[in-house]
Amino acid sequence: MNREGRRIEVRGIVQGVGFRPWIWRLARENGIQGRVSNDSRGVTIEAFGEEPALDALLAGMRSGPPPAAEIRDLTWRRIPPEPVSSFTIVESRRSEELVVSIPPDRATCDDCLAEVFDPRDRRYRYAFTNCTNCGPRFTIVREVPYDRPGTTMAPFRMCDACRQEYDDPADRRFHAQPNACPACGPTLTAVAPDGSPLEWTDPIGGAARLLREGGILALKGLGGFHLSCDATSPEAVRELRRRKRREEKPLAVMVRSIAEAEQLALIGPAERAILTSSERPILLLPRRADSPLASEVAPDNPLVGLMLPYTPLHHLLLAEADRPLVMTSGNLSEEPIACGNEEALRRLGGVADAFLLHEREIESRCDDSVVAMVAAEPVLLRRSRGYVPRPVLLDFRFPEPVLACGAHLKNTFCVGMGELAYLGPHIGDLENLETLQAFEQAIARWERFLRVTPRIVAHDFHPGYVSTFYARSRPGATLVPVQHHHAHVAAAMAEHALEGPVYGFAWDGTGWGPDGTAWGGELLRADYGHYERIGSFRALPLAGGETAIREVWRLALALCRSAFPGGAPLERLPLFSKVPRESLRGVTRMIESGIAMPRARGVGRYFDAFGALLLGVPVSRYEGQVAMRWNLIADGGDHGAYPFDLDSSAGPPEVDLTAAARAAVEDFLEGVAIPVISARFHETLARAAAAMLPQSRSERGRLPVVLTGGCFQNSLLTRRVLERLPGWTVFRHRRVPPGDGGLALGQAAVAAAILRKGGI
């Protein structure tokens, strides 16, 4: 047969995952000569052999890549054959067009874990053991292509034994960029809060002893520092909360094994698969009644956020401590996660009793990801470590690079190029200088990875958001303001490759509305370039503005007075006995006077109002706390719904829950169980959603429906809405957060549509 040549280009997650040695083995098995290399776009193979052998190589590539790899695109073309006698792996090279192929950080694989716990192995108890199938990736990368000189492992010169593994294509550590061992790699150091060394002969053993004795430990993980304590000790958890200034927001817990997780929470096959996945997210699970966890881990909350160890350090520490450990972000409330040694000592010195440090620098902050089961399906609530920087593949192209700045709360940004959208790691709430700096640094890092400075910058319509100020500060930028809920709907469309138009339910707490009210209970008819608001909720007054979002009794008072115009039975509702009389009188006068005050349509605000009113909770200690409690207390059975009105007298139909509030209060006063009232509230919202959709198919056409916004993180609400929309094709988020953590994707998609139509 005739010898021929093929140039094969592979795009996707194909660097740092053992892809080139896998190709090397496939080529040898098929008698092919040539070469394979990384470049800035992915992997390129120049293969020479007979046609059947080359076809077999391509078939093998398509059938089963390495576990950490993800082939997104594979193309080939014929090239002249060359007289080469072997197949080799060559050094990485740059190309003009750049597609980031950095893999996400991956949990420790079983092979490496076996070595860590094998006394005969040279990596016994080594906290930085990894191979091509696991270990740090994104968080240590400084430059692309992904090679050791472009990572924070560059200062560590490999010993002869590690170099031999690194250079051997048959070894599972071939070109494992973070490869190291106790002789040549990073080391652990235990220090006091003032930075002075601790007299611990074994840093891990000393740290475990500190935790068993009720102390608080700061340890350097993959994407930043964790703060840890004994999760079974009420005293330790309370002290951590006091020092961290985190009053009631739930804390994540790390457990040694899936068997231990099953002792703490109710876990089915789907949940087990998520917990043991290479991404190792925090998974929200129903806590077992007999769980030994301290109730202070998640006060007044039936859920617990569990995760399994994902680094050798975690595995070793959990084994020594022999108990579940709180493993929460190393920061003070509302600050970004600490990632540098000096930074951690400066910011966490007043929180931790001891620090476990090492010399491998963290280049990119990356918090733990969070997943929840929503209506029986896993949904990413926070997309960060383990998932970033994996891009979202789109069914459209960006005419030129776009930067989307995201939301004010739960911020992530997005860079769109070609057919890919790169969502950055979770940044957090842009409420202070430290978080803004982390946001700016992360964007600059992505621009360096991608070698772009986008001219088109999308941002939220709200003029007061920090992300909007940042967008306006970019020199030479062409700004694209995007309405908050249009961006939510566009994000869901982009995730599911929906061209539009769609009907989009965008339900959340707050988003700037062009009519001067805060939106959040919207039904939009939308495509990427346009939206029409065809339904909403009646606006509630926010007495005191933003204060009403924290002091939720103000919302409850406004709702109650509307429901009982002849006089609300405030004295019979326990909530109002918890409010100072002067405050109650002042806010009542404010509401009665009708003076100008913000008004909010958000379904999240109704959750707050009903929850505060019926649970008797006057203040929300963290964003969404009361709404979540109102959801989680609901009975799952069928208890009917409350009445509501659909008012079309002044524009798009508005759902008016005044009658529902009156009926719910009457139920409460008659002694109906709170879980039943909450169940009826949820069913009322589901029926309202169905009523908002156009009833005449000929009026607007039978379109797909998307459910988006933070309220659709609520499993019961989502399930009820799905049940009320039979015959409709409904899409909801899975891989991109439904809340504000996914907003930037929608902003980028809207900007791309405007670009394609020549509107910029």
Coordinates of all heavy atoms in Angstrom, one line a residue, residues 580-625:
P580 N -38.9 46.3 67.4 CA -39.1 47.5 68.3 C -40.3 48.3 67.9 O -40.5 48.6 66.7 CB -37.8 48.3 68.2 CG -36.8 47.3 67.7 CD -37.5 46.3 66.9
R581 N -41.1 48.7 68.9 CA -42.4 49.5 68.6 C -42.1 50.7 67.8 O -42.9 51.0 66.8 CB -43.1 49.8 69.9 CG -43.7 48.6 70.6 CD -44.5 49.0 71.8 NE -45.2 47.8 72.4 CZ -46.3 47.3 72.0 NH1 -47.0 47.9 71.0 NH2 -46.9 46.3 72.6
E582 N -41.1 51.4 68.1 CA -40.8 52.7 67.4 C -40.5 52.4 65.9 O -40.9 53.1 65.0 CB -39.7 53.5 68.1 CG -39.4 54.8 67.5 CD -40.7 55.7 67.5 OE1 -41.5 55.7 68.5 OE2 -40.9 56.4 66.5
S583 N -39.7 51.3 65.7 CA -39.4 51.0 64.3 C -40.6 50.6 63.5 O -40.8 50.9 62.4 CB -38.4 49.8 64.3 OG -37.2 50.2 64.9
L584 N -41.5 49.8 64.2 CA -42.7 49.4 63.6 C -43.6 50.6 63.2 O -44.2 50.7 62.1 CB -43.5 48.4 64.5 CG -44.7 47.7 63.9 CD1 -44.2 46.8 62.8 CD2 -45.3 46.8 65.0
R585 N -43.7 51.6 64.1 CA -44.5 52.7 63.9 C -43.9 53.6 62.7 O -44.6 54.1 61.8 CB -44.7 53.6 65.1 CG -45.6 53.0 66.2 CD -46.0 54.1 67.2 NE -44.8 54.4 68.0 CZ -44.5 53.8 69.2 NH1 -45.4 52.9 69.7 NH2 -43.5 54.1 69.9
G586 N -42.6 53.7 62.7 CA -41.9 54.5 61.7 C -42.1 53.9 60.3 O -42.4 54.7 59.4
V587 N -42.0 52.6 60.2 CA -42.1 52.0 58.9 C -43.6 52.0 58.4 O -43.9 52.2 57.2 CB -41.5 50.6 58.9 CG1 -41.8 49.8 57.6 CG2 -40.0 50.6 59.1
T588 N -44.5 51.8 59.4 CA -45.9 51.9 59.1 C -46.2 53.3 58.5 O -46.9 53.4 57.5 CB -46.8 51.6 60.3 OG1 -46.5 50.3 60.8 CG2 -48.2 51.7 60.0
R589 N -45.7 54.3 59.1 CA -46.0 55.7 58.6 C -45.4 55.8 57.2 O -46.0 56.5 56.3 CB -45.4 56.7 59.6 CG -46.2 56.9 60.8 CD -45.8 58.2 61.6 NE -44.4 58.1 62.0 CZ -43.9 57.7 63.1 NH1 -44.8 57.2 64.0 NH2 -42.7 57.7 63.4
M590 N -44.2 55.3 57.0 CA -43.5 55.4 55.7 C -44.4 54.7 54.6 O -44.6 55.3 53.5 CB -42.2 54.7 55.8 CG -41.2 54.9 54.6 SD -39.7 54.0 54.8 CE -39.1 54.6 56.4
I591 N -44.9 53.5 54.9 CA -45.8 52.8 53.9 C -47.1 53.6 53.7 O -47.5 53.7 52.5 CB -46.0 51.4 54.4 CG1 -44.7 50.6 54.5 CG2 -47.0 50.7 53.5 CD1 -44.9 49.2 55.1
E592 N -47.7 54.1 54.8 CA -49.0 54.8 54.6 C -48.9 56.1 53.9 O -49.8 56.5 53.2 CB -49.6 55.0 56.0 CG -50.1 53.8 56.7 CD -50.6 54.1 58.1 OE1 -50.2 55.2 58.7 OE2 -51.3 53.3 58.7
S593 N -47.7 56.7 54.0 CA -47.6 58.1 53.4 C -47.5 58.0 51.9 O -47.7 59.0 51.2 CB -46.3 58.8 54.0 OG -45.1 58.1 53.5
G594 N -47.0 56.8 51.4 CA -46.9 56.6 50.0 C -45.7 57.4 49.4 O -45.7 57.7 48.2
I595 N -44.8 57.9 50.3 CA -43.7 58.6 49.8 C -42.9 57.8 48.9 O -42.9 56.5 48.9 CB -42.8 59.1 51.0 CG1 -42.2 57.9 51.8 CG2 -43.5 60.1 51.9 CD1 -41.2 58.3 52.8
A596 N -42.1 58.4 48.0 CA -41.3 57.7 47.0 C -40.3 56.7 47.7 O -39.6 57.1 48.6 CB -40.5 58.6 46.2
M597 N -40.5 55.4 47.3 CA -39.6 54.4 47.9 C -39.4 53.4 46.8 O -40.3 53.2 45.9 CB -40.1 53.8 49.2 CG -41.3 53.0 49.0 SD -41.9 52.3 50.6 CE -42.5 53.8 51.4
P598 N -38.3 52.7 46.8 CA -38.1 51.6 45.8 C -39.2 50.6 45.9 O -39.8 50.3 47.0 CB -36.7 51.0 46.1 CG -36.1 52.0 47.0 CD -37.1 52.7 47.7
R599 N -39.5 50.0 44.7 CA -40.5 48.9 44.7 C -39.9 47.7 44.0 O -39.2 47.9 43.0 CB -41.8 49.4 44.0 CG -42.4 50.6 44.7 CD -43.6 51.1 43.9 NE -44.7 50.2 44.1 CZ -45.6 50.2 45.1 NH1 -45.4 51.0 46.1 NH2 -46.6 49.3 45.1
A600 N -40.2 46.5 44.5 CA -39.5 45.3 44.0 C -40.6 44.3 43.6 O -41.5 44.0 44.3 CB -38.6 44.7 45.1
R601 N -40.4 43.7 42.4 CA -41.2 42.7 41.8 C -40.7 41.3 42.0 O -41.3 40.3 41.6 CB -41.4 42.9 40.3 CG -42.0 44.3 40.0 CD -42.1 44.5 38.5 NE -42.6 45.8 38.2 CZ -43.9 46.1 38.2 NH1 -44.8 45.2 38.5 NH2 -44.3 47.4 37.8
G602 N -39.5 41.2 42.6 CA -38.8 39.9 42.7 C -39.6 38.8 43.4 O -40.1 39.0 44.5
V603 N -39.7 37.6 42.8 CA -40.3 36.5 43.5 C -39.5 36.2 44.8 O -40.0 35.8 45.8 CB -40.3 35.2 42.6 CG1 -40.7 34.0 43.4 CG2 -41.2 35.5 41.4
G604 N -38.1 36.4 44.8 CA -37.3 36.3 46.0 C -37.8 37.2 47.1 O -37.7 36.8 48.3
R605 N -38.3 38.4 46.8 CA -38.8 39.3 47.8 C -40.1 38.7 48.4 O -40.3 38.9 49.6 CB -39.0 40.7 47.2 CG -37.7 41.3 46.7 CD -36.8 41.9 47.8 NE -35.9 40.8 48.3 CZ -34.8 40.5 47.8 NH1 -34.3 41.1 46.8 NH2 -34.0 39.6 48.4
Y606 N -40.9 38.1 47.6 CA -42.1 37.5 48.1 C -41.8 36.3 49.0 O -42.4 36.0 50.0 CB -43.0 37.1 47.0 CG -43.9 38.2 46.5 CD1 -43.6 38.9 45.4 CD2 -45.0 38.6 47.2 CE1 -44.3 40.0 44.9 CE2 -45.8 39.7 46.8 CZ -45.5 40.3 45.6 OH -46.2 41.4 45.2
F607 N -40.7 35.5 48.7 CA -40.3 34.4 49.6 C -39.9 35.0 50.9 O -40.2 34.5 52.0 CB -39.1 33.7 48.9 CG -39.5 32.5 48.2 CD1 -39.7 32.5 46.8 CD2 -39.6 31.2 48.8 CE1 -40.1 31.4 46.1 CE2 -40.0 30.1 48.1 CZ -40.2 30.2 46.7
D608 N -39.1 36.2 50.9 CA -38.7 36.8 52.1 C -39.9 37.3 52.9 O -40.0 37.1 54.1 CB -37.8 38.0 51.8 CG -36.4 37.6 51.3 OD1 -36.0 36.5 51.6 OD2 -35.7 38.5 50.7
A609 N -40.9 37.9 52.2 CA -42.0 38.5 52.9 C -42.9 37.4 53.6 O -43.2 37.5 54.8 CB -42.8 39.3 51.9
F610 N -43.2 36.4 52.8 CA -44.0 35.3 53.4 C -43.3 34.5 54.5 O -43.8 34.2 55.5 CB -44.5 34.3 52.3 CG -45.7 34.7 51.5 CD1 -45.7 35.7 50.5 CD2 -46.9 34.1 51.9 CE1 -46.8 36.0 49.9 CE2 -48.1 34.5 51.2 CZ -48.0 35.5 50.2
G611 N -42.0 34.3 54.2 CA -41.2 33.6 55.2 C -41.0 34.3 56.5 O -41.2 33.7 57.6
A612 N -40.8 35.6 56.4 CA -40.7 36.4 57.6 C -42.0 36.4 58.4 O -42.0 36.3 59.6 CB -40.3 37.9 57.3
L613 N -43.1 36.6 57.6 CA -44.4 36.7 58.2 C -44.8 35.5 59.0 O -45.3 35.5 60.1 CB -45.4 37.1 57.1 CG -46.8 37.6 57.6 CD1 -46.7 38.8 58.4 CD2 -47.6 37.8 56.3
L614 N -44.6 34.3 58.3 CA -45.2 33.1 58.9 C -44.2 32.3 59.7 O -44.6 31.5 60.6 CB -45.6 32.1 57.7 CG -47.0 32.5 57.1 CD1 -48.1 32.7 58.1 CD2 -46.9 33.7 56.1
L615 N -42.9 32.5 59.5 CA -41.9 31.9 60.4 C -41.5 32.8 61.6 O -40.8 32.3 62.5 CB -40.6 31.6 59.6 CG -40.7 30.6 58.5 CD1 -39.4 30.5 57.7 CD2 -41.0 29.2 59.1
G616 N -41.9 34.1 61.5 CA -41.6 35.0 62.6 C -40.1 35.3 62.7 O -39.5 35.5 63.7
V617 N -39.5 35.5 61.5 CA -38.1 35.8 61.4 C -37.9 37.3 60.9 O -38.2 37.6 59.8 CB -37.3 34.9 60.4 CG1 -35.8 35.2 60.4 CG2 -37.5 33.4 60.9
P618 N -37.5 38.2 61.8 CA -37.4 39.6 61.4 C -36.3 40.0 60.5 O -36.4 40.9 59.7 CB -37.4 40.3 62.7 CG -36.8 39.4 63.7 CD -37.2 38.0 63.2
V619 N -35.1 39.3 60.6 CA -33.9 39.7 59.9 C -33.3 38.5 59.2 O -33.2 37.4 59.7 CB -32.9 40.3 61.0 CG1 -31.6 40.6 60.3 CG2 -33.4 41.5 61.6
S620 N -32.8 38.8 58.0 CA -32.0 37.8 57.2 C -30.5 38.1 57.4 O -30.0 39.1 57.2 CB -32.3 38.0 55.7 OG -31.6 37.1 54.9
R621 N -29.9 37.1 58.0 CA -28.5 37.2 58.4 C -27.5 37.1 57.2 O -26.4 37.5 57.2 CB -28.1 36.1 59.4 CG -28.9 36.2 60.7 CD -28.6 37.4 61.5 NE -29.4 37.5 62.7 CZ -29.5 38.5 63.5 NH1 -28.7 39.6 63.2 NH2 -30.2 38.5 64.6
Y622 N -28.0 36.5 56.1 CA -27.2 36.4 54.9 C -28.2 36.3 53.7 O -29.4 36.0 53.9 CB -26.3 35.2 54.9 CG -26.9 33.8 55.0 CD1 -27.4 33.1 54.0 CD2 -27.0 33.3 56.3 CE1 -27.9 31.9 54.1 CE2 -27.6 32.0 56.5 CZ -28.0 31.3 55.4 OH -28.6 30.1 55.6
E623 N -27.7 36.6 52.5 CA -28.5 36.7 51.3 C -29.3 35.4 51.1 O -28.7 34.4 51.0 CB -27.7 37.1 50.1 CG -28.5 37.7 49.0 CD -28.6 36.7 47.8 OE1 -27.8 35.8 47.7 OE2 -29.5 36.9 47.1
G624 N -30.6 35.5 51.0 CA -31.4 34.3 50.7 C -31.8 33.4 51.9 O -32.4 32.4 51.8
Q625 N -31.3 33.8 53.1 CA -31.5 32.9 54.3 C -33.0 32.6 54.6 O -33.4 31.5 54.7 CB -30.9 33.5 55.5 CG -31.1 32.7 56.8 CD -30.6 33.3 58.1 OE1 -30.6 34.6 58.1 NE2 -30.3 32.6 59.1

